[in-house]
Amino acid sequence: MKRHLLLFTMLVLAGGYLFGQIVDGHHEEVRVVKSYNPMIDDAFKININPVITDTAISREPLQYEITPMKLSTDIEIAPIRAARMTGMPQSELYRLFLKGGFGNYTTPYFEVFYNSLRSRRSSYGLHYKHLSSHGKLDEYAFPGYSENTFDLNASLFGQSHIFSFNGAYDRDVVHFYGRPDTLVNDTLDNKSIRQRFHSVSVDAAMRSNYFGNDRLNHGVGLDYRMINDLYNTAEHNIKFDGYLNKAVTWFSFSRYQTIGLDVATDIFNTRMAQDTTENVFNQALVKLNPYMESKIKDMDVRVGGTFGYESENNGTLRFYPDIHLKISLSEHKFILIGGLDGNMERSSFALMANENPFIISDPEMRNTITKIRVYGGLRTAIGARMNFTARVSSESVSNYAMFYADTALTFRNRFGVIYDDGTILSLKAELTYQAAEKIKIGGRLLYQDFNMNTEGYAWHKPAFTSGIDIRYNLEDKIIAYAGINYLADIKVKTLEEGKMVTGSLKNILDINFGAEYRYSKLLSGFLRLNNLAASKYYRWQHYPAHRFNMMIGVTYAL
């Protein structure tokens, strides 16, 4: 701005010496002598402010109407192709499977399975097994044994029912080679100490196989069993059982409710012929168990009762509660269980001979009654690969069967049966770990505190039982497994010269190992090593088990 002002002043001053244009010969000279004083006139602003004119605008109400019209559309349903499942392929089945081996103590082993292939309508199978040993023990009589088993099964699958049939024949031979320390019997004739059991069982069953839960589910079964031995003891058992159950909606607090009835009848006929006397015992047990099951959120409840009848002692009626509870927490990862129940069971000759084959041929037989049993426990998953189960129970029993060494007999090497009442406290725990199909480890522990009213102990019943099992699978080519079993605190009782003498058996430690090499899907070989510690232990008083023993064999499928 200052630059423009200065330029303007210079032009004005210089103009003082300029001459105007000469017009028509007129000459005029004007000389101005004065300093330049620039001036600017005052500026007057237009003072106009905006004014808002508040004018109400009236709106006419909008009137309209909707005329419904039906739009016609044509729908064409196109078929959808079913998705093809790409799950795990079914493994190939073989009709015939053979397994055989041979071990020390002259122990041959052979087993064969023959089964039907996959079918939606039926299945059947045959099985035969032979295992025997002809080894000897120093200072003992012949301890050989043999086991022969033949069984068959068949099932027919209908649209609404399943029919099944099973049959079996067993022939087992043992020798009474055990002896007290004061009796040397290694020169006894094999026939004089031989025992042989024949067992036959046949059962048929039918059960419904309905879809949905709105129909009356039912099932019925008939079972016949027979056992006899070399000493003219024979026992026949006929069992009938059945069940009915149906879903109901009686209560609004639960969507899943079921009522049912279980029925079981056992009839026993036992004949014992000693010398010239034959004793016949007939016994019948009948049990009716009505119940109701319900699921309330994460809780499963079963409430019922068992009405029992036993013909022994001129007939006795009994009642046992039947209450069971299961609570699932943390999406079924933690499960609590508990219950209250009871039971009655026949201490039959077949049941006792199966547990202890060195039993006398004319034992006293009674009904073992579990008056009441209370139990509780839990099941939980520890991570993705480990599971833990624990259970505790307390039961009150009467006529609990136990074995004692009856040395009043000629060879003093068989076991009698004694009964007592009392309570049994049991603690059981199991832990398993599995990493896919490669490795599996399992541990188990069982502690039982027998508090018998008269005897004080439960003879030949271990108070402590534990074990560890390990299985390792190397690419389905080599399978290795190992097991450790430990039994402790086994109390025993012996009848000597009319007096009962008590004692304890040495704790049992049994270490086993096995391996299988699969040459192909059809052919493999196996190795078994038992009692690796070669310890001399007694499961039954006066009856030592074999020390280290092994077996090698092959398997083949067709």
Side-chain angles (χ1 to χ4, degrees):
M1 182 67 183
K2 290 182 179 181
R3 180 179 296 179
H4 288 244
L5 184 61
L6 179 60
L7 181 59
F8 178 77
T9 304
M10 291 176 64
L11 290 175
V12 172
L13 292 178
Y17 297 92
L18 296 178
F19 295 96
Q21 186 177 7
I22 299 175
V23 180
D24 298 331
H26 176 74
H27 178 78
E28 183 177 357
E29 181 180 352
V30 179
R31 187 173 183 175
V32 179
V33 179
K34 187 181 181 179
S35 60
Y36 177 70
N37 183 20
M39 296 179 65
I40 300 175
D41 293 338
D42 292 336
F44 297 97
K45 299 180 180 179
I46 301 174
N47 189 12
I48 298 176
N49 294 325
V51 177
I52 299 175
T53 303
D54 187 7
T55 304
I57 300 176
S58 61
R59 297 181 179 180
E60 294 295 330
L62 180 63
Q63 297 180 355
Y64 63 92
E65 61 182 11
I66 298 175
T67 302
M69 296 182 66
K70 181 179 179 181
L71 180 62
S72 298
T73 59
D74 296 329
I75 300 176
E76 295 182 1
I77 301 176
I80 301 176
R81 294 185 60 184
R84 177 172 295 181
M85 302 300 294
T86 58
M88 294 295 293
Q90 291 183 335
S91 58
E92 185 176 1
L93 299 182
Y94 302 94
R95 289 187 180 273
L96 185 64
F97 181 75
L98 303 174
K99 192 173 185 179
F102 193 84
N104 60 338
Y105 299 108
T106 316
T107 306
Y109 162 69
F110 176 72
E111 197 164 8
V112 56
F113 298 86
Y114 184 83
N115 299 283
S116 61
L117 301 181
R118 290 187 180 91
S119 173
R120 296 180 180 272
R121 296 184 177 182
S122 63
S123 69
Y124 62 87
L126 304 174
H127 169 239
Y128 172 74
K129 176 185 176 181
H130 170 82
L131 176 65
S132 62
S133 177
H134 303 276
K136 295 183 179 181
L137 291 172
D138 295 339
E139 299 182 356
Y140 283 86
F142 179 63
Y145 66 89
S146 69
E147 300 175 1
N148 290 275
T149 299
F150 174 77
D151 58 82
L152 56 90
N153 63 84
S155 297
L156 181 63
F157 310 114
Q159 292 184 351
S160 59
H161 290 81
I162 297 177
F163 302 89
S164 61
F165 172 82
N166 296 278
Y169 168 74
D170 295 275
R171 183 182 185 275
D172 300 319
V173 175
V174 296
H175 292 81
F176 302 114
Y177 67 92
R179 63 168 179 81
D181 294 336
T182 57
L183 177 65
V184 177
N185 61 0
D186 55 349
T187 59
L188 292 176
D189 180 66
N190 293 351
K191 291 184 177 181
S192 64
I193 58 173
R194 184 170 179 263
Q195 171 66 295
R196 184 267 305 141
F197 298 101
H198 283 306
S199 300
V200 176
S201 64
V202 179
D203 68 81
M206 179 272 293
R207 63 182 178 88
S208 60
N209 186 35
Y210 298 136
F211 292 99
N213 57 1
D214 57 340
R215 303 184 65 176
L216 181 63
N217 299 300
H218 54 274
V220 63
L222 184 64
D223 187 358
Y224 168 76
R225 298 179 183 273
M226 185 278 297
I227 184 173
N228 61 31
D229 72 348
L230 278 178
Y231 300 89
N232 300 321
T233 294
E235 181 179 75
H236 303 267
N237 172 216
I238 298 177
K239 183 177 182 179
F240 169 81
D241 57 12
Y243 69 87
L244 297 170
N245 63 69
K246 189 180 186 303
V248 296
T249 56
W250 291 353
F251 304 102
S252 59
F253 58 78
S254 171
R255 295 178 56 188
Y256 304 97
Q257 304 164 37
T258 302
I259 59 171
L261 174 67
D262 295 336
V263 180
T265 302
D266 267 315
I267 301 175
F268 294 89
N269 173 264
T270 307
R271 298 176 180 271
M272 299 178 181
Q274 297 297 323
D275 298 329
T276 58
T277 305
E278 182 180 65
N279 298 316
V280 180
F281 304 93
N282 295 313
Q283 176 65 213
L285 299 176
V286 180
K287 290 185 286 187
L288 299 176
N289 175 215
Y291 64 88
M292 180 174 184
E293 296 178 340
S294 179
K295 183 176 180 62
I296 307 173
K297 294 185 178 180
D298 294 326
M299 182 171 60
D300 296 326
V301 182
R302 175 184 171 116
V303 178
T306 300
F307 299 88
Y309 171 80
E310 54 177 335
S311 62
E312 197 170 65
N313 300 323
N314 297 322
T316 303
L317 291 174
R318 300 184 181 275
F319 174 78
Y320 312 99
D322 180 27
I323 302 174
H324 303 275
L325 176 67
K326 183 176 77 172
I327 303 175
S328 300
L329 305 174
S330 300
E331 297 180 351
H332 300 280
K333 295 180 180 180
F334 192 89
I335 299 176
L336 298 175
I337 60 173
L340 182 69
D341 58 16
N343 192 26
M344 62 180 182
E345 183 181 28
R346 181 68 171 174
S347 295
S348 63
F349 181 73
L351 186 66
M352 292 187 288
N354 183 65
E355 181 180 359
N356 184 356
F358 309 113
I359 191 175
I360 59 178
S361 294
D362 57 342
E364 181 183 4
M365 290 177 294
R366 298 182 184 178
N367 296 329
T368 299
I369 308 299
T370 302
K371 301 176 182 178
I372 194 72
R373 182 181 68 125
V374 182
Y375 69 90
L378 62 89
R379 296 199 305 267
T380 183
I382 306 175
R385 300 179 176 179
M386 190 175 298
N387 295 290
F388 176 73
T389 302
R391 184 166 180 158
V392 58
S393 67
S394 178
E395 53 189 307
S396 175
V397 297
S398 62
N399 294 332
Y400 187 75
M402 302 169 288
F403 300 100
Y404 71 94
D406 191 350
T407 56
L409 300 175
T410 303
F411 297 123
R412 306 169 64 185
N413 53 7
R414 301 178 71 175
F415 291 88
V417 180
I418 190 171
Y419 294 89
D420 199 1
D421 303 340
T423 58
I424 304 174
L425 175 65
S426 300
L427 302 174
K428 183 178 181 180
E430 294 183 357
L431 181 66
T432 60
Y433 171 86
Q434 184 167 359
E437 296 296 330
K438 188 174 184 179
I439 186 170
K440 183 176 182 180
I441 302 174
R444 60 191 181 280
L445 172 67
L446 174 62
Y447 173 76
Q448 292 181 292
D449 180 22
F450 297 94
N451 186 11
M452 313 312 294
N453 295 343
T454 303
E455 300 295 325
Y457 300 97
W459 311 119
H460 280 96
K461 307 288 185 180
F464 184 83
T465 303
S466 62
I468 299 176
D469 298 305
I470 303 173
R471 179 182 174 88
Y472 182 78
N473 186 338
L474 181 60
E475 302 296 337
D476 279 335
K477 197 69 175 179
I478 298 177
I479 312 296
Y481 49 89
I484 302 176
N485 299 294
Y486 182 72
L487 285 74
D489 198 12
I490 306 175
K491 304 294 184 181
V492 296
K493 188 174 185 177
T494 305
L495 177 61
E496 295 183 1
E497 298 180 356
K499 297 181 180 180
M500 289 293 185
V501 179
T502 62
S504 299
L505 295 182
K506 184 180 178 180
N507 294 343
I508 298 174
L509 177 63
D510 189 12
I511 304 175
N512 306 308
F513 174 80
E516 178 184 359
Y517 174 72
R518 295 177 177 175
Y519 179 78
S520 67
K521 292 184 178 181
L522 304 180
L523 180 64
S524 66
F526 67 87
L527 172 68
R528 297 176 184 170
L529 305 176
N530 299 321
N531 196 2
L532 287 174
S535 60
K536 182 180 180 180
Y537 61 80
Y538 296 79
R539 179 59 187 91
W540 302 105
Q541 190 177 12
H542 308 317
Y543 283 84
H546 284 298
R547 292 178 182 265
F548 171 76
N549 59 89
M550 64 173 291
M551 177 177 289
I552 187 171
V554 297
T555 68
Y556 188 71
L558 294 174

